[in-house]
Amino acid sequence: MANPDTTTDPSLLPDDDPSRRDVILIAAGAFATIGGAAMLWPLLDQMNPDASTLSMASIDVDVGPVEEGQAITVMWRGKPVFIRHRTAKEIEEAKDVKLDVLIDPFARNANLPEDAPATDANRAATDLEPWLVMIGICTHLGCIPKGQAVGDYKGDYGGWFCPCHGSQYDTAGRVRVGPAPQNMYIPPYTFASDTQLKIG
Amino acid sequence: MAHPSTYQPTSGFGKWIDTRLPFPRVVHDQFMVFPTPRNLNYWWTFGGILTFMLVLQMMTGIVLAMHYVPSADGAFDSVEKIMRDVNWGWLLRYAHAVGASMFFVAVFIHTFRGLYYGSYKAPREVLWILGVLILLLMIATAFMGYSLVWGQMSFWAVTVITNLFSSLDSLIPGLGTTLVEWIWGGFAVGGPTLNRLYSLHYLLPFVIAGVVMLHIWALHVPGNNNPTGVDVKTERDTIPFHPYYSIKDGFAIVLFLIVFAALLFYVPNYLSHPDNYIPANPLQTPPHIVPEWYFLPFYAILRAIPSKLFGVIGMLGAIAVLFIVPWLDTSRIRSTSYRPIYKWFFWLFVITCIALGYLGAQAPDGWYLFFGRAFTIYYFAFFLLIMPIVGLIERPKKLPGSITQSVLGSQASKPPSPPPPGPDDREGLA
């Protein structure tokens, strides 16, 4: 697409390569586009969690003082983590649930493969069955469910009840009544001993 | 509407500037002698009221920003400091907070007026779309402004609304979570979130002001619609904007300010939630999260749909559907006053919006949930079924022959009738 003016411009001889201007035009446009796109990324990426936020990645918790039937809440990455010392009755109830009645069939356990089924064994701490460690945020719209304090209403399944839109969770933190779509997430954690918990 | 310029610069400076930046000419042609239908009623004064409110919100907002501390640790205390220590701080903050409510009162009336009189129909589609865009920007701005108080309701409103984006996880796993953490600047709502909301809350009003200018430009190309929906046919159908409508708009602003002042000075917290006077606590969700009143209808739609993703789609769709209203309405005439069937559906739609507003503040169970769903269905059926179908099957009432005839009756059609006071005085007024 030669510019018609070039035919009358003495500085551009007719035998000059007719695509010379096109090359310059395309190259200039391409550099401007790539440069603009390269600048756009820092402008967008600056909003992602910064280095100081990422550095708060793990915490240590001594769960020794938490008696059977009690629960504590700790903060990890700005989120509440529920740590519940479950009673034998609560464990039995969680184990008796058939997987096909669950709304979300996956364990949502960061320590297990993504497709691990939501059995109680996959939800509770490995070899430390009474302990349930999970992020205490309703998977619907992010409210904090009730059920940590002794007097709280825990819903029909004895676990947690979200006051915002009525979701209910069982004693393994699995959603049993919607609108929440998923079981509460289990963060990456390890037990260094029976009472030393490291989250993150 | 497009009309030949009648501006005659008289002073030496007037002539000098007219050939360099003809701003006085634009003001004269577009806001002084602008030909305006002679039959506009008081529902047409809300455009002026809205312009006034935008300026007022920007003025109070800019001075509040001089005292506000945009950080998770300092925000709540700085708002209390504004209320107690800053000179006139209580007045400025209450004017800004109540002003936001009054702004939405006006914009809802303005929108319903456009719907009732068919102001979105050709050739005003772009005008209407720009208006819906302003409504969306206002919603975003108001939401961000409410979050800045950093009380319990602020914090949990931000948590719930930003978590709406995580519903995208059910489309592409991980997409929603990535997006939400990008919005938060962390793994939960926190200080970084507050700072960016503050930055955008300061920016968006200026974007709104820009779109308002386009909105007025798009209004001044075809000119105003009017209560009959009949096009302007002759000059006799119009009167100059100034002084006729500048006075009328001014009087309406005074009436509007009386209501505003009554709320501001006697019940400044009537429309807000007491829980927002509790500092934000990320470990405790309030027992009952409700948004500000102007978001309640949309919140009711969100909760009426028993699926996270479709609830979000429904809530956003409730506003998005407005964008295509010009093409959903199949009626040949504009004004609902001449549409005997559609009129009933229109008023049922108004009742639906008010009912959804009421239901948005109730717990979503039992009858509340049932009616929330019923009204949500009607909300969308009104746009997607009733607008196209009724427009085709309805036989409208006879329209007046002209705007002048609708005002003066049959006498307007008699040639020797005395000239109406408006158009013929135009030169003198200009």
mmCIF file of all heavy atoms in Angstrom, chain A residues 44 46-49 53-54 73 75 77-80 139-144 146 163-165 181, chain B residues 156 159-160 163-164 181-183 185-188 196 282-285 287 289 299 302-303 308:
data_model
loop_
_atom_site.group_PDB
_atom_site.id
_atom_site.type_symbol
_atom_site.label_atom_id
_atom_site.label_comp_id
_atom_site.label_asym_id
_atom_site.label_seq_id
_atom_site.Cartn_x
_atom_site.Cartn_y
_atom_site.Cartn_z
ATOM 1 N N LEU A 44 -0.575 -3.710 35.921
ATOM 2 C CA LEU A 44 -1.581 -4.656 36.406
ATOM 3 C C LEU A 44 -1.039 -5.490 37.558
ATOM 4 O O LEU A 44 -1.698 -5.697 38.571
ATOM 5 C CB LEU A 44 -2.031 -5.578 35.271
ATOM 6 C CG LEU A 44 -2.839 -4.920 34.156
ATOM 7 C CD1 LEU A 44 -3.087 -5.913 33.031
ATOM 8 C CD2 LEU A 44 -4.159 -4.399 34.696
ATOM 9 N N GLN A 46 1.156 -4.907 39.750
ATOM 10 C CA GLN A 46 1.392 -4.233 41.042
ATOM 11 C C GLN A 46 0.245 -4.508 42.015
ATOM 12 O O GLN A 46 0.413 -4.374 43.213
ATOM 13 C CB GLN A 46 1.602 -2.736 40.844
ATOM 14 C CG GLN A 46 0.527 -1.992 40.063
ATOM 15 C CD GLN A 46 -0.687 -1.601 40.879
ATOM 16 O OE1 GLN A 46 -0.619 -1.505 42.077
ATOM 17 N NE2 GLN A 46 -1.806 -1.403 40.213
ATOM 18 N N MET A 47 -0.919 -4.868 41.497
ATOM 19 C CA MET A 47 -2.054 -5.099 42.399
ATOM 20 C C MET A 47 -2.003 -6.467 43.063
ATOM 21 O O MET A 47 -2.708 -6.709 44.040
ATOM 22 C CB MET A 47 -3.372 -4.949 41.633
ATOM 23 C CG MET A 47 -3.790 -3.492 41.460
ATOM 24 S SD MET A 47 -5.263 -3.290 40.473
ATOM 25 C CE MET A 47 -6.515 -4.007 41.524
ATOM 26 N N ASN A 48 -1.208 -7.388 42.561
ATOM 27 C CA ASN A 48 -1.137 -8.723 43.161
ATOM 28 C C ASN A 48 -0.495 -8.660 44.549
ATOM 29 O O ASN A 48 0.189 -7.691 44.877
ATOM 30 C CB ASN A 48 -0.355 -9.656 42.244
ATOM 31 C CG ASN A 48 -1.262 -10.300 41.219
ATOM 32 O OD1 ASN A 48 -2.369 -10.734 41.548
ATOM 33 N ND2 ASN A 48 -0.818 -10.331 39.979
ATOM 34 N N PRO A 49 -0.705 -9.669 45.394
ATOM 35 C CA PRO A 49 -0.137 -9.669 46.746
ATOM 36 C C PRO A 49 1.358 -9.373 46.701
ATOM 37 O O PRO A 49 2.090 -9.980 45.912
ATOM 38 C CB PRO A 49 -0.417 -11.094 47.241
ATOM 39 C CG PRO A 49 -1.625 -11.529 46.486
ATOM 40 C CD PRO A 49 -1.528 -10.862 45.138
ATOM 41 N N THR A 53 3.348 -9.466 51.952
ATOM 42 C CA THR A 53 2.176 -10.318 52.166
ATOM 43 C C THR A 53 2.545 -11.783 51.964
ATOM 44 O O THR A 53 2.164 -12.657 52.748
ATOM 45 C CB THR A 53 1.059 -9.915 51.193
ATOM 46 O OG1 THR A 53 0.840 -8.516 51.307
ATOM 47 C CG2 THR A 53 -0.227 -10.663 51.496
ATOM 48 N N LEU A 54 3.320 -12.043 50.907
ATOM 49 C CA LEU A 54 3.708 -13.424 50.629
ATOM 50 C C LEU A 54 4.631 -13.971 51.708
ATOM 51 O O LEU A 54 4.652 -15.178 51.963
ATOM 52 C CB LEU A 54 4.396 -13.497 49.261
ATOM 53 C CG LEU A 54 3.511 -13.165 48.060
ATOM 54 C CD1 LEU A 54 4.349 -13.049 46.804
ATOM 55 C CD2 LEU A 54 2.431 -14.225 47.888
ATOM 56 N N THR A 73 -9.381 -20.339 66.772
ATOM 57 C CA THR A 73 -9.237 -19.694 65.466
ATOM 58 C C THR A 73 -7.925 -18.942 65.460
ATOM 59 O O THR A 73 -7.649 -18.169 66.379
ATOM 60 C CB THR A 73 -10.396 -18.706 65.222
ATOM 61 O OG1 THR A 73 -11.630 -19.405 65.386
ATOM 62 C CG2 THR A 73 -10.329 -18.122 63.821
ATOM 63 N N MET A 75 -5.008 -16.699 62.845
ATOM 64 C CA MET A 75 -4.936 -15.972 61.576
ATOM 65 C C MET A 75 -3.759 -16.481 60.765
ATOM 66 O O MET A 75 -2.629 -16.594 61.263
ATOM 67 C CB MET A 75 -4.748 -14.470 61.842
ATOM 68 C CG MET A 75 -5.984 -13.782 62.356
ATOM 69 S SD MET A 75 -7.282 -13.640 61.115
ATOM 70 C CE MET A 75 -6.840 -12.105 60.338
ATOM 71 N N ARG A 77 -2.247 -15.728 56.800
ATOM 72 C CA ARG A 77 -2.384 -14.953 55.566
ATOM 73 C C ARG A 77 -3.639 -14.077 55.579
ATOM 74 O O ARG A 77 -4.348 -13.963 54.582
ATOM 75 C CB ARG A 77 -2.473 -15.884 54.359
ATOM 76 C CG ARG A 77 -1.159 -16.545 54.004
ATOM 77 C CD ARG A 77 -1.349 -17.394 52.779
ATOM 78 N NE ARG A 77 -0.087 -17.643 52.092
ATOM 79 C CZ ARG A 77 -0.015 -18.231 50.896
ATOM 80 N NH1 ARG A 77 -1.107 -18.614 50.280
ATOM 81 N NH2 ARG A 77 1.147 -18.421 50.319
ATOM 82 N N GLY A 78 -3.916 -13.505 56.738
ATOM 83 C CA GLY A 78 -5.078 -12.631 56.840
ATOM 84 C C GLY A 78 -6.400 -13.352 56.874
ATOM 85 O O GLY A 78 -7.452 -12.723 56.853
ATOM 86 N N LYS A 79 -6.364 -14.673 56.909
ATOM 87 C CA LYS A 79 -7.603 -15.440 56.936
ATOM 88 C C LYS A 79 -7.706 -16.184 58.254
ATOM 89 O O LYS A 79 -6.700 -16.631 58.802
ATOM 90 C CB LYS A 79 -7.613 -16.492 55.816
ATOM 91 C CG LYS A 79 -7.509 -15.942 54.443
ATOM 92 C CD LYS A 79 -7.458 -17.093 53.460
ATOM 93 C CE LYS A 79 -7.321 -16.552 52.054
ATOM 94 N NZ LYS A 79 -7.519 -17.566 51.031
ATOM 95 N N PRO A 80 -8.922 -16.394 58.748
ATOM 96 C CA PRO A 80 -9.082 -17.203 59.950
ATOM 97 C C PRO A 80 -8.928 -18.694 59.620
ATOM 98 O O PRO A 80 -9.451 -19.162 58.618
ATOM 99 C CB PRO A 80 -10.509 -16.895 60.404
ATOM 100 C CG PRO A 80 -11.210 -16.429 59.193
ATOM 101 C CD PRO A 80 -10.193 -15.841 58.261
ATOM 102 N N THR A 139 -17.443 -20.830 51.576
ATOM 103 C CA THR A 139 -17.062 -20.818 50.170
ATOM 104 C C THR A 139 -18.104 -20.138 49.293
ATOM 105 O O THR A 139 -17.936 -20.060 48.084
ATOM 106 C CB THR A 139 -16.817 -22.247 49.650
ATOM 107 O OG1 THR A 139 -17.992 -23.017 49.898
ATOM 108 C CG2 THR A 139 -15.635 -22.873 50.348
ATOM 109 N N HIS A 140 -19.171 -19.634 49.891
ATOM 110 C CA HIS A 140 -20.148 -18.898 49.107
ATOM 111 C C HIS A 140 -19.625 -17.493 48.834
ATOM 112 O O HIS A 140 -19.093 -17.228 47.762
ATOM 113 C CB HIS A 140 -21.500 -18.866 49.844
ATOM 114 C CG HIS A 140 -22.567 -18.134 49.112
ATOM 115 N ND1 HIS A 140 -23.387 -17.222 49.726
ATOM 116 C CD2 HIS A 140 -22.949 -18.183 47.832
ATOM 117 C CE1 HIS A 140 -24.241 -16.743 48.832
ATOM 118 N NE2 HIS A 140 -23.994 -17.302 47.675
ATOM 119 N N LEU A 141 -19.702 -16.617 49.823
ATOM 120 C CA LEU A 141 -19.253 -15.248 49.599
ATOM 121 C C LEU A 141 -18.289 -14.763 50.674
ATOM 122 O O LEU A 141 -18.131 -13.560 50.866
ATOM 123 C CB LEU A 141 -20.459 -14.312 49.494
ATOM 124 C CG LEU A 141 -21.326 -14.540 48.249
ATOM 125 C CD1 LEU A 141 -22.570 -13.675 48.275
ATOM 126 C CD2 LEU A 141 -20.546 -14.274 46.967
ATOM 127 N N GLY A 142 -17.642 -15.688 51.373
ATOM 128 C CA GLY A 142 -16.525 -15.286 52.207
ATOM 129 C C GLY A 142 -16.848 -14.854 53.621
ATOM 130 O O GLY A 142 -16.014 -14.243 54.274
ATOM 131 N N CYS A 143 -18.038 -15.140 54.133
ATOM 132 C CA CYS A 143 -18.330 -14.824 55.530
ATOM 133 C C CYS A 143 -17.651 -15.847 56.441
ATOM 134 O O CYS A 143 -17.199 -16.899 55.987
ATOM 135 C CB CYS A 143 -19.837 -14.843 55.791
ATOM 136 S SG CYS A 143 -20.721 -13.616 54.826
ATOM 137 N N ILE A 144 -17.578 -15.500 57.758
ATOM 138 C CA ILE A 144 -16.993 -16.427 58.725
ATOM 139 C C ILE A 144 -18.139 -17.212 59.360
ATOM 140 O O ILE A 144 -18.965 -16.626 60.068
ATOM 141 C CB ILE A 144 -16.243 -15.659 59.835
ATOM 142 C CG1 ILE A 144 -15.328 -14.587 59.237
ATOM 143 C CG2 ILE A 144 -15.472 -16.624 60.726
ATOM 144 C CD1 ILE A 144 -14.175 -15.090 58.454
ATOM 145 N N LYS A 146 -20.424 -19.475 61.877
ATOM 146 C CA LYS A 146 -20.533 -19.657 63.326
ATOM 147 C C LYS A 146 -20.281 -21.124 63.665
ATOM 148 O O LYS A 146 -20.523 -22.012 62.843
ATOM 149 C CB LYS A 146 -21.932 -19.269 63.801
ATOM 150 C CG LYS A 146 -22.258 -17.808 63.612
ATOM 151 C CD LYS A 146 -21.844 -17.037 64.821
ATOM 152 C CE LYS A 146 -22.003 -15.537 64.578
ATOM 153 N NZ LYS A 146 -21.195 -14.754 65.487
ATOM 154 N N PRO A 163 -23.958 -17.342 58.873
ATOM 155 C CA PRO A 163 -25.099 -16.469 59.126
ATOM 156 C C PRO A 163 -25.510 -15.638 57.909
ATOM 157 O O PRO A 163 -26.611 -15.108 57.889
ATOM 158 C CB PRO A 163 -24.605 -15.561 60.255
ATOM 159 C CG PRO A 163 -23.134 -15.506 60.071
ATOM 160 C CD PRO A 163 -22.732 -16.847 59.518
ATOM 161 N N CYS A 164 -24.622 -15.545 56.927
ATOM 162 C CA CYS A 164 -24.932 -14.625 55.824
ATOM 163 C C CYS A 164 -26.048 -15.170 54.945
ATOM 164 O O CYS A 164 -27.044 -14.507 54.702
ATOM 165 C CB CYS A 164 -23.697 -14.366 54.982
ATOM 166 S SG CYS A 164 -22.493 -13.374 55.864
ATOM 167 N N HIS A 165 -25.874 -16.391 54.448
ATOM 168 C CA HIS A 165 -26.865 -16.915 53.516
ATOM 169 C C HIS A 165 -27.271 -18.335 53.868
ATOM 170 O O HIS A 165 -27.801 -19.061 53.031
ATOM 171 C CB HIS A 165 -26.344 -16.824 52.086
ATOM 172 C CG HIS A 165 -25.971 -15.418 51.700
ATOM 173 N ND1 HIS A 165 -24.693 -14.944 51.784
ATOM 174 C CD2 HIS A 165 -26.731 -14.377 51.300
ATOM 175 C CE1 HIS A 165 -24.682 -13.665 51.434
ATOM 176 N NE2 HIS A 165 -25.888 -13.300 51.141
ATOM 177 N N PRO A 181 -20.898 -23.562 47.413
ATOM 178 C CA PRO A 181 -20.703 -24.616 46.425
ATOM 179 C C PRO A 181 -19.672 -25.668 46.827
ATOM 180 O O PRO A 181 -19.668 -26.766 46.275
ATOM 181 C CB PRO A 181 -20.239 -23.855 45.182
ATOM 182 C CG PRO A 181 -19.544 -22.650 45.717
ATOM 183 C CD PRO A 181 -20.190 -22.316 47.038
ATOM 184 N N TRP B 156 -17.350 -6.149 55.469
ATOM 185 C CA TRP B 156 -18.007 -7.377 55.008
ATOM 186 C C TRP B 156 -18.729 -7.188 53.692
ATOM 187 O O TRP B 156 -18.891 -8.149 52.935
ATOM 188 C CB TRP B 156 -18.894 -7.945 56.106
ATOM 189 C CG TRP B 156 -18.004 -8.473 57.195
ATOM 190 C CD1 TRP B 156 -17.658 -7.857 58.359
ATOM 191 C CD2 TRP B 156 -17.241 -9.688 57.146
ATOM 192 N NE1 TRP B 156 -16.737 -8.611 59.041
ATOM 193 C CE2 TRP B 156 -16.470 -9.744 58.325
ATOM 194 C CE3 TRP B 156 -17.127 -10.726 56.222
ATOM 195 C CZ2 TRP B 156 -15.606 -10.802 58.603
ATOM 196 C CZ3 TRP B 156 -16.277 -11.787 56.500
ATOM 197 C CH2 TRP B 156 -15.532 -11.810 57.680
ATOM 198 N N THR B 159 -15.964 -7.797 51.350
ATOM 199 C CA THR B 159 -15.674 -9.231 51.304
ATOM 200 C C THR B 159 -16.689 -9.969 50.438
ATOM 201 O O THR B 159 -16.330 -10.745 49.546
ATOM 202 C CB THR B 159 -15.681 -9.800 52.737
ATOM 203 O OG1 THR B 159 -14.670 -9.137 53.492
ATOM 204 C CG2 THR B 159 -15.421 -11.293 52.733
ATOM 205 N N VAL B 160 -17.970 -9.711 50.694
ATOM 206 C CA VAL B 160 -19.014 -10.434 49.959
ATOM 207 C C VAL B 160 -18.981 -10.071 48.482
ATOM 208 O O VAL B 160 -19.041 -10.945 47.607
ATOM 209 C CB VAL B 160 -20.398 -10.150 50.584
ATOM 210 C CG1 VAL B 160 -21.511 -10.634 49.677
ATOM 211 C CG2 VAL B 160 -20.506 -10.810 51.948
ATOM 212 N N ASN B 163 -15.932 -11.347 46.643
ATOM 213 C CA ASN B 163 -16.021 -12.805 46.519
ATOM 214 C C ASN B 163 -16.956 -13.233 45.394
ATOM 215 O O ASN B 163 -16.927 -14.389 44.978
ATOM 216 C CB ASN B 163 -16.483 -13.429 47.833
ATOM 217 C CG ASN B 163 -15.318 -13.906 48.668
ATOM 218 O OD1 ASN B 163 -14.510 -14.706 48.206
ATOM 219 N ND2 ASN B 163 -15.200 -13.400 49.877
ATOM 220 N N LEU B 164 -17.795 -12.314 44.918
ATOM 221 C CA LEU B 164 -18.653 -12.658 43.777
ATOM 222 C C LEU B 164 -17.797 -13.114 42.597
ATOM 223 O O LEU B 164 -18.182 -13.992 41.838
ATOM 224 C CB LEU B 164 -19.489 -11.447 43.350
ATOM 225 C CG LEU B 164 -20.528 -10.941 44.347
ATOM 226 C CD1 LEU B 164 -21.215 -9.713 43.786
ATOM 227 C CD2 LEU B 164 -21.541 -12.010 44.659
ATOM 228 N N GLU B 181 -7.707 -12.468 44.398
ATOM 229 C CA GLU B 181 -6.474 -12.104 45.112
ATOM 230 C C GLU B 181 -5.799 -10.906 44.460
ATOM 231 O O GLU B 181 -5.153 -10.100 45.141
ATOM 232 C CB GLU B 181 -5.528 -13.312 45.173
ATOM 233 C CG GLU B 181 -6.062 -14.352 46.164
ATOM 234 C CD GLU B 181 -5.190 -15.583 46.275
ATOM 235 O OE1 GLU B 181 -4.176 -15.672 45.557
ATOM 236 O OE2 GLU B 181 -5.541 -16.462 47.081
ATOM 237 N N TRP B 182 -5.990 -10.772 43.154
ATOM 238 C CA TRP B 182 -5.472 -9.593 42.461
ATOM 239 C C TRP B 182 -6.241 -8.343 42.917
ATOM 240 O O TRP B 182 -5.653 -7.287 43.145
ATOM 241 C CB TRP B 182 -5.612 -9.804 40.950
ATOM 242 C CG TRP B 182 -5.172 -8.655 40.108
ATOM 243 C CD1 TRP B 182 -3.888 -8.252 39.880
ATOM 244 C CD2 TRP B 182 -6.008 -7.751 39.377
ATOM 245 N NE1 TRP B 182 -3.881 -7.159 39.049
ATOM 246 C CE2 TRP B 182 -5.164 -6.830 38.713
ATOM 247 C CE3 TRP B 182 -7.384 -7.640 39.193
ATOM 248 C CZ2 TRP B 182 -5.638 -5.807 37.902
ATOM 249 C CZ3 TRP B 182 -7.873 -6.629 38.386
ATOM 250 C CH2 TRP B 182 -7.005 -5.725 37.753
ATOM 251 N N ILE B 183 -7.553 -8.477 43.060
ATOM 252 C CA ILE B 183 -8.354 -7.336 43.522
ATOM 253 C C ILE B 183 -7.993 -6.997 44.961
ATOM 254 O O ILE B 183 -7.866 -5.831 45.328
ATOM 255 C CB ILE B 183 -9.860 -7.668 43.397
ATOM 256 C CG1 ILE B 183 -10.266 -7.764 41.932
ATOM 257 C CG2 ILE B 183 -10.711 -6.611 44.111
ATOM 258 C CD1 ILE B 183 -11.639 -8.366 41.704
ATOM 259 N N GLY B 185 -5.133 -7.721 46.613
ATOM 260 C CA GLY B 185 -3.728 -7.465 46.903
ATOM 261 C C GLY B 185 -3.258 -8.256 48.105
ATOM 262 O O GLY B 185 -2.374 -7.818 48.849
ATOM 263 N N GLY B 186 -3.864 -9.403 48.324
ATOM 264 C CA GLY B 186 -3.512 -10.244 49.467
ATOM 265 C C GLY B 186 -4.370 -11.498 49.401
ATOM 266 O O GLY B 186 -4.969 -11.792 48.370
ATOM 267 N N PHE B 187 -4.435 -12.212 50.524
ATOM 268 C CA PHE B 187 -5.225 -13.437 50.547
ATOM 269 C C PHE B 187 -6.570 -13.222 51.217
ATOM 270 O O PHE B 187 -7.346 -14.145 51.409
ATOM 271 C CB PHE B 187 -4.438 -14.557 51.216
ATOM 272 C CG PHE B 187 -3.138 -14.814 50.511
ATOM 273 C CD1 PHE B 187 -1.944 -14.354 51.023
ATOM 274 C CD2 PHE B 187 -3.124 -15.482 49.295
ATOM 275 C CE1 PHE B 187 -0.745 -14.553 50.354
ATOM 276 C CE2 PHE B 187 -1.940 -15.687 48.612
ATOM 277 C CZ PHE B 187 -0.751 -15.223 49.142
ATOM 278 N N ALA B 188 -6.810 -11.992 51.624
ATOM 279 C CA ALA B 188 -8.093 -11.606 52.202
ATOM 280 C C ALA B 188 -8.225 -10.101 52.020
ATOM 281 O O ALA B 188 -7.253 -9.427 51.670
ATOM 282 C CB ALA B 188 -8.155 -11.983 53.689
ATOM 283 N N ARG B 196 -6.517 0.748 47.365
ATOM 284 C CA ARG B 196 -6.885 0.832 45.945
ATOM 285 C C ARG B 196 -8.332 1.277 45.782
ATOM 286 O O ARG B 196 -8.649 1.987 44.833
ATOM 287 C CB ARG B 196 -6.603 -0.485 45.231
ATOM 288 C CG ARG B 196 -7.309 -1.674 45.797
ATOM 289 C CD ARG B 196 -6.702 -2.960 45.291
ATOM 290 N NE ARG B 196 -5.285 -3.057 45.625
ATOM 291 C CZ ARG B 196 -4.508 -4.068 45.290
ATOM 292 N NH1 ARG B 196 -5.001 -5.076 44.625
ATOM 293 N NH2 ARG B 196 -3.244 -4.082 45.639
ATOM 294 N N PRO B 282 -11.939 -8.678 60.896
ATOM 295 C CA PRO B 282 -11.898 -9.769 59.914
ATOM 296 C C PRO B 282 -12.262 -11.130 60.500
ATOM 297 O O PRO B 282 -12.436 -12.079 59.745
ATOM 298 C CB PRO B 282 -10.445 -9.773 59.433
ATOM 299 C CG PRO B 282 -9.764 -8.638 60.087
ATOM 300 C CD PRO B 282 -10.628 -8.114 61.173
ATOM 301 N N LEU B 283 -12.375 -11.234 61.831
ATOM 302 C CA LEU B 283 -12.668 -12.537 62.434
ATOM 303 C C LEU B 283 -14.133 -12.693 62.804
ATOM 304 O O LEU B 283 -14.529 -13.739 63.297
ATOM 305 C CB LEU B 283 -11.810 -12.744 63.686
ATOM 306 C CG LEU B 283 -10.355 -13.088 63.389
ATOM 307 C CD1 LEU B 283 -9.566 -13.222 64.662
ATOM 308 C CD2 LEU B 283 -10.263 -14.363 62.562
ATOM 309 N N GLN B 284 -14.922 -11.652 62.604
ATOM 310 C CA GLN B 284 -16.322 -11.778 62.989
ATOM 311 C C GLN B 284 -17.241 -11.180 61.937
ATOM 312 O O GLN B 284 -17.176 -9.992 61.643
ATOM 313 C CB GLN B 284 -16.570 -11.091 64.331
ATOM 314 C CG GLN B 284 -17.924 -11.463 64.871
ATOM 315 C CD GLN B 284 -18.253 -10.725 66.138
ATOM 316 O OE1 GLN B 284 -17.604 -9.742 66.486
ATOM 317 N NE2 GLN B 284 -19.285 -11.179 66.817
ATOM 318 N N THR B 285 -18.073 -12.027 61.361
ATOM 319 C CA THR B 285 -19.048 -11.557 60.395
ATOM 320 C C THR B 285 -20.270 -11.037 61.144
ATOM 321 O O THR B 285 -20.738 -11.704 62.060
ATOM 322 C CB THR B 285 -19.475 -12.722 59.479
ATOM 323 O OG1 THR B 285 -18.311 -13.284 58.903
ATOM 324 C CG2 THR B 285 -20.382 -12.239 58.383
ATOM 325 N N PRO B 287 -24.095 -10.546 62.128
ATOM 326 C CA PRO B 287 -25.133 -11.559 61.969
ATOM 327 C C PRO B 287 -25.958 -11.366 60.705
ATOM 328 O O PRO B 287 -26.474 -12.331 60.151
ATOM 329 C CB PRO B 287 -25.997 -11.388 63.219
ATOM 330 C CG PRO B 287 -25.587 -10.093 63.833
ATOM 331 C CD PRO B 287 -24.202 -9.819 63.386
ATOM 332 N N ILE B 289 -25.720 -9.248 57.076
ATOM 333 C CA ILE B 289 -25.067 -8.284 56.201
ATOM 334 C C ILE B 289 -26.087 -7.717 55.230
ATOM 335 O O ILE B 289 -26.751 -8.461 54.520
ATOM 336 C CB ILE B 289 -23.926 -8.941 55.401
ATOM 337 C CG1 ILE B 289 -22.860 -9.493 56.346
ATOM 338 C CG2 ILE B 289 -23.294 -7.933 54.451
ATOM 339 C CD1 ILE B 289 -21.722 -10.158 55.628
ATOM 340 N N TYR B 299 -29.295 -6.842 45.346
ATOM 341 C CA TYR B 299 -28.910 -7.861 46.331
ATOM 342 C C TYR B 299 -30.002 -8.925 46.444
ATOM 343 O O TYR B 299 -29.715 -10.120 46.564
ATOM 344 C CB TYR B 299 -28.687 -7.173 47.682
ATOM 345 C CG TYR B 299 -27.945 -7.990 48.713
ATOM 346 C CD1 TYR B 299 -26.682 -8.501 48.448
ATOM 347 C CD2 TYR B 299 -28.500 -8.234 49.961
ATOM 348 C CE1 TYR B 299 -26.001 -9.227 49.401
ATOM 349 C CE2 TYR B 299 -27.821 -8.960 50.920
ATOM 350 C CZ TYR B 299 -26.569 -9.448 50.636
ATOM 351 O OH TYR B 299 -25.898 -10.169 51.584
ATOM 352 N N LEU B 302 -29.598 -11.264 43.595
ATOM 353 C CA LEU B 302 -28.448 -12.148 43.844
ATOM 354 C C LEU B 302 -28.853 -13.331 44.724
ATOM 355 O O LEU B 302 -28.502 -14.477 44.460
ATOM 356 C CB LEU B 302 -27.333 -11.356 44.526
ATOM 357 C CG LEU B 302 -26.167 -12.168 45.107
ATOM 358 C CD1 LEU B 302 -25.274 -12.672 43.979
ATOM 359 C CD2 LEU B 302 -25.346 -11.364 46.083
ATOM 360 N N ARG B 303 -29.626 -13.027 45.778
ATOM 361 C CA ARG B 303 -29.946 -14.080 46.738
ATOM 362 C C ARG B 303 -31.117 -14.938 46.299
ATOM 363 O O ARG B 303 -31.318 -16.027 46.830
ATOM 364 C CB ARG B 303 -30.246 -13.453 48.096
ATOM 365 C CG ARG B 303 -29.045 -12.684 48.625
ATOM 366 C CD ARG B 303 -29.211 -12.314 50.045
ATOM 367 N NE ARG B 303 -30.447 -11.587 50.280
ATOM 368 C CZ ARG B 303 -30.833 -11.158 51.473
ATOM 369 N NH1 ARG B 303 -30.082 -11.401 52.512
ATOM 370 N NH2 ARG B 303 -31.942 -10.506 51.618
ATOM 371 N N LYS B 308 -24.367 -19.836 42.904
ATOM 372 C CA LYS B 308 -23.453 -18.715 43.101
ATOM 373 C C LYS B 308 -23.195 -17.977 41.795
ATOM 374 O O LYS B 308 -23.374 -16.768 41.697
ATOM 375 C CB LYS B 308 -22.147 -19.245 43.691
ATOM 376 C CG LYS B 308 -21.157 -18.164 44.072
ATOM 377 C CD LYS B 308 -20.012 -18.780 44.871
ATOM 378 C CE LYS B 308 -18.812 -17.871 44.916
ATOM 379 N NZ LYS B 308 -17.695 -18.445 45.648
#
